[in-house]
Amino acid sequence: MKTKFFYSKLKGSLMLTMALFFVVTSCEDYLEEQPSTLIDSGYVFTTEEGLKSGVVSLYKFERDRYDASTEDFMGSVLMSSRSDLVFARTGYTGLMGRYERGISAVDQGSNFASSLFWKHFYNMTNKATAIINAADVVEGVDEDARKKILAEAKYFRAHSYFYLYRMYNNIFVTTETVTVDNAFDVVNDRSSDAEIFALINSDLDYAIENLDWTDTFGRVTKGTAKHVKAKVAMWQGDWTEAKNQALDVIEGPDSPHSLVSSTADVFAGDRNNSESLFVVQALDDVLGGGATTMMNANYVTQYFQISGIESNIEQGGRGFSRILPNLYLLNLLAEDPNDTRDDDTYFRLKYYYTSGDRTGEELDNYEPITDLDNPSSSYQNYYKRMHPSCIKFAQEDDNPDSYLNRSNITVYRLAETYLIAAEAIMRSTGDPLPYINAVRERAGAAPVTSVDQQTILDERARELSFEGQRWFTLKRMGQNVIDTQMTSYAGDGEYFPANLGSKDPRENWQSHFINWPIAQRDLDLLGPDYPQNLGYE
């Protein structure tokens, strides 16, 4: 079964095809030239090269999530704005992060999420399913190539359904291809959890079996699929499976992956290093090299508005202070003075003059700031221009004078696999300390001597914040955990500038926000009894 969303697009495509037929037919006396190449559905779904091209399109869909054409509403940034680790300062992203938008089925925030998540990932699952079903039956395809095509397509279908489930809960899954015959069928109910996880795990199992450990950077590998399989197992509470998959990536005899030697190396260069499990690729001045992104700009302050400081890559590039690390996260990073993750590797805490008599001098007393211990008294200056920034998405060859840059983006990396292993072992059998301490010691922090759930949460905050994982982690750990973390730490509490008319996300949070609302415009395309998530009816 499929939603009307897909069917309306199919209907539109059919109508366009008919229109083109009539135009070409009526002009056949005048148009005699034939195209030198013809790439259509017949080519894509009936030839080996066509199927390979279809798989490449799935990577393009994945990269689209970071596209600057979606401005500051891009889904990758939006997920980071809704956590206990950030101060969502301004713009519509700020409203979403403070739970002032995206909180009902009919507000504009839910419509943004509809495009960025619901439609995006269902579109990806639909395309992946069409490739899978065609590759299963098409003749004349090399069998090794067929397995690779199926493995990549199944990975993306599992990845997309897993993302949708973690966001919306009430989702439906299918293995049917959209055809003329079923294009206007509607979905009348959500799939059960058992059905959802059965399909996700089946797809990932096939991907794990048929992908190689190494491939061209930017392609999914056996390590990528095992990492995601471990994450899925954690959502199912299958700690043994999560442990086994994670440990195979970390220390399996065939795994090529290892932690890079320092936090400074994690996001250096093109990010295609031994720690990377999946990196979205982008290349300047090349057709198909990808669109520009504003990932970095969303997370970096406007320090360059201070006289004597120009924007430069060393200090984070050009930003507009939308989403910032909050005091809770900064205090977690500061607990160990030797922790390098706030030492201009993951986060920048200090800014320096770049011109005039004070070149090279640290900015330590910006005149309009009267009380740095109470930044709300100087909100516009402190949060906008002086606040610490996340610099995980800055890249050495970015344009320091532009909010728009074309950069590689890390999606999954081995440090998270280590923390998955630590948590899965903590909840099952074995010693979690070597795995959590491998991440800590790489950062120069002292090893911990015991591990509980809060230890895991805190270390995931230090290591993985702003990488789009936090909200999902809180939700996976349960209602009590997400309620406690959001109401205790989200935003900046007493520092929040309430005089600007916005409310603290700690006050705005409600328990049913653990699931996103399905936008009404999407519900309208489903069957009349399709369930909205609780709290949004």
Side-chain angles (χ1 to χ4, degrees):
M1 293 185 292
K2 299 290 185 293
T3 66
K4 292 179 183 175
F5 166 69
F6 298 130
Y7 315 145
S8 62
K9 293 188 69 175
L10 178 62
K11 181 180 178 182
S13 298
L14 291 172
M15 292 179 67
L16 176 61
T17 301
M18 292 176 65
L20 289 174
F21 171 79
F22 287 122
V23 169
V24 172
T25 302
S26 63
C27 299
E28 60 184 359
D29 293 340
Y30 305 96
L31 300 179
E32 297 181 357
E33 295 184 12
Q34 296 294 322
S36 58
T37 61
L38 180 62
I39 299 178
D40 58 13
S41 61
Y43 170 80
V44 171
F45 296 116
T46 62
T47 69
E48 180 176 322
E49 290 306 310
L51 290 167
K52 289 179 178 178
S53 297
V55 168
V56 170
S57 75
L58 297 175
Y59 286 92
K60 191 267 183 187
F61 263 87
E62 179 67 11
R63 189 169 62 186
D64 283 348
R65 295 181 52 231
Y66 306 92
D67 192 339
S69 67
T70 58
E71 298 180 347
D72 57 322
F73 312 126
M74 67 185 79
S76 49
V77 169
L78 195 55
M79 290 310 301
S80 292
S81 76
R82 286 194 162 192
S83 87
D84 57 336
L85 304 178
V86 303
F87 178 88
R89 188 185 76 88
T90 189
Y92 213 91
T93 308
L95 293 174
M96 296 283 281
R98 294 193 297 270
Y99 292 91
E100 297 179 64
R101 298 291 187 275
I103 57 175
S104 78
V106 295
D107 73 32
Q108 188 61 17
S110 295
N111 289 337
F112 284 134
S114 164
S115 298
L116 292 166
F117 302 113
W118 185 273
K119 288 183 173 65
H120 174 83
F121 283 114
Y122 269 120
N123 209 357
M124 188 182 289
T125 64
N126 182 54
K127 291 181 182 298
T129 296
I131 293 168
I132 291 164
N133 290 344
D136 270 335
V137 299
V138 66
E139 298 179 354
V141 177
D142 175 80
E143 287 307 308
D144 287 339
R146 188 194 308 272
K147 290 178 180 178
K148 177 75 179 304
I149 290 164
L150 285 168
E152 289 181 275
K154 289 191 175 190
Y155 167 83
F156 278 109
R157 182 166 69 182
H159 157 74
S160 299
Y161 278 139
F162 185 45
Y163 207 105
L164 285 165
Y165 175 76
R166 288 180 294 169
M167 280 196 67
Y168 291 101
N169 191 59
N170 285 352
I171 70 163
F172 64 93
V173 299
T174 182
T175 58
E176 292 184 41
T177 302
V178 172
T179 66
V180 173
D181 293 330
N182 67 14
F184 293 95
D185 294 346
V186 296
V187 178
N188 290 299
D189 199 1
R190 61 155 289 174
S191 299
S192 68
D193 283 6
E195 292 170 327
I196 293 167
F197 282 114
L199 179 55
I200 290 173
N201 282 314
S202 173
D203 281 352
L204 288 175
D205 286 342
Y206 187 94
I208 289 169
E209 182 178 353
N210 292 283
L211 290 171
D212 294 325
W213 277 108
T214 59
D215 204 328
T216 304
F217 274 111
R219 305 295 290 238
V220 297
T221 65
K222 192 184 296 290
T224 320
K226 280 181 167 288
H227 179 85
V228 176
K229 183 73 186 293
K231 292 168 75 74
V232 171
M234 294 177 82
W235 276 77
Q236 293 183 278
D238 188 345
W239 307 113
T240 299
E241 176 70 7
K243 175 180 70 173
N244 291 341
Q245 293 292 347
L247 291 182
D248 202 26
V249 180
I250 295 168
E251 54 197 26
D254 299 319
S255 175
H257 299 290
S258 60
L259 294 176
V260 296
S261 60
S262 72
T263 55
D265 295 327
V266 175
F267 298 102
D270 61 10
R271 296 159 171 78
N272 293 326
N273 54 50
S274 63
E275 185 167 332
S276 302
L277 296 176
F278 183 58
V279 177
V280 170
Q281 306 290 305
L283 195 62
D284 294 330
D285 304 320
V286 173
L287 183 65
T292 53
T293 176
M294 287 196 287
M295 287 286 291
N296 186 60
N298 273 276
Y299 298 143
V300 174
T301 55
Q302 302 178 55
Y303 60 89
F304 50 86
Q305 291 191 357
I306 299 172
S307 178
I309 305 182
E310 283 73 41
S311 59
N312 57 85
I313 297 301
E314 291 74 17
Q315 303 199 81
R318 193 173 186 85
F320 40 66
S321 313
R322 287 284 165 82
I323 305 170
L324 307 171
N326 64 5
L327 293 175
Y328 172 57
L329 174 56
L330 294 172
N331 287 335
L332 286 173
L333 290 165
E335 283 184 1
D336 191 315
N338 297 316
D339 196 321
T340 61
R341 287 171 287 199
D342 60 0
D343 189 24
D344 305 335
T345 60
Y346 296 0
F347 296 91
R348 170 168 283 277
L349 305 186
K350 301 175 182 179
Y351 304 97
Y352 297 84
Y353 290 98
T354 56
S355 62
D357 296 338
R358 303 183 70 180
T359 299
E361 183 179 334
E362 180 186 339
L363 174 69
D364 60 357
N365 186 22
Y366 183 45
E367 292 299 330
I369 300 292
T370 58
D371 182 5
L372 286 177
D373 291 327
N374 185 14
S376 65
S377 66
S378 305
Y379 169 80
Q380 290 295 346
N381 291 318
Y382 178 76
Y383 280 93
K384 187 176 182 181
R385 302 177 184 180
M386 290 186 65
H387 197 282
S389 300
C390 174
I391 56 172
K392 290 182 176 182
F393 301 92
Q395 195 157 303
E396 286 90 333
D397 63 352
D398 283 345
N399 180 354
D401 297 317
S402 176
Y403 297 119
L404 302 171
N405 290 287
R406 189 176 285 104
S407 303
N408 289 2
I409 295 171
T410 301
V411 179
Y412 295 126
R413 58 188 180 93
L414 191 66
E416 186 187 19
T417 321
Y418 270 83
L419 296 177
I420 289 172
E423 182 180 352
I425 291 170
M426 178 198 76
R427 299 185 189 277
S428 57
T429 59
D431 181 7
L433 289 174
Y435 302 98
I436 189 169
N437 283 331
V439 174
R440 288 184 59 78
E441 291 170 0
R442 193 263 298 273
V448 296
T449 57
S450 62
V451 178
D452 60 16
Q453 180 169 275
Q454 194 62 49
T455 310
I456 296 291
L457 265 178
D458 290 350
E459 202 57 40
R460 287 185 69 96
R462 297 183 189 98
E463 183 65 27
L464 302 171
S465 53
F466 288 77
E467 296 180 45
Q469 304 296 327
R470 183 65 173 188
W471 191 83
F472 293 135
T473 299
L474 296 180
K475 178 177 179 178
R476 172 178 60 80
M477 288 188 174
Q479 189 73 63
N480 183 61
V481 170
I482 196 169
D483 284 349
T484 298
Q485 291 293 124
M486 293 301 297
T487 57
S488 299
Y489 304 116
D492 260 352
E494 64 185 279
Y495 295 99
F496 192 86
N499 60 319
L500 294 187
S502 294
K503 291 182 179 180
D504 192 318
R506 301 180 195 182
E507 298 178 10
N508 285 345
W509 173 261
Q510 298 182 50
S511 291
H512 67 271
F513 292 162
I514 193 170
N515 295 312
W516 285 60
I518 302 172
Q520 188 61 48
R521 67 186 189 184
D522 293 322
L523 276 178
D524 290 342
L525 298 174
L526 297 164
D529 297 322
Y530 195 91
Q532 174 63 275
N533 283 316
L534 295 177
Y536 302 109
E537 299 93 338

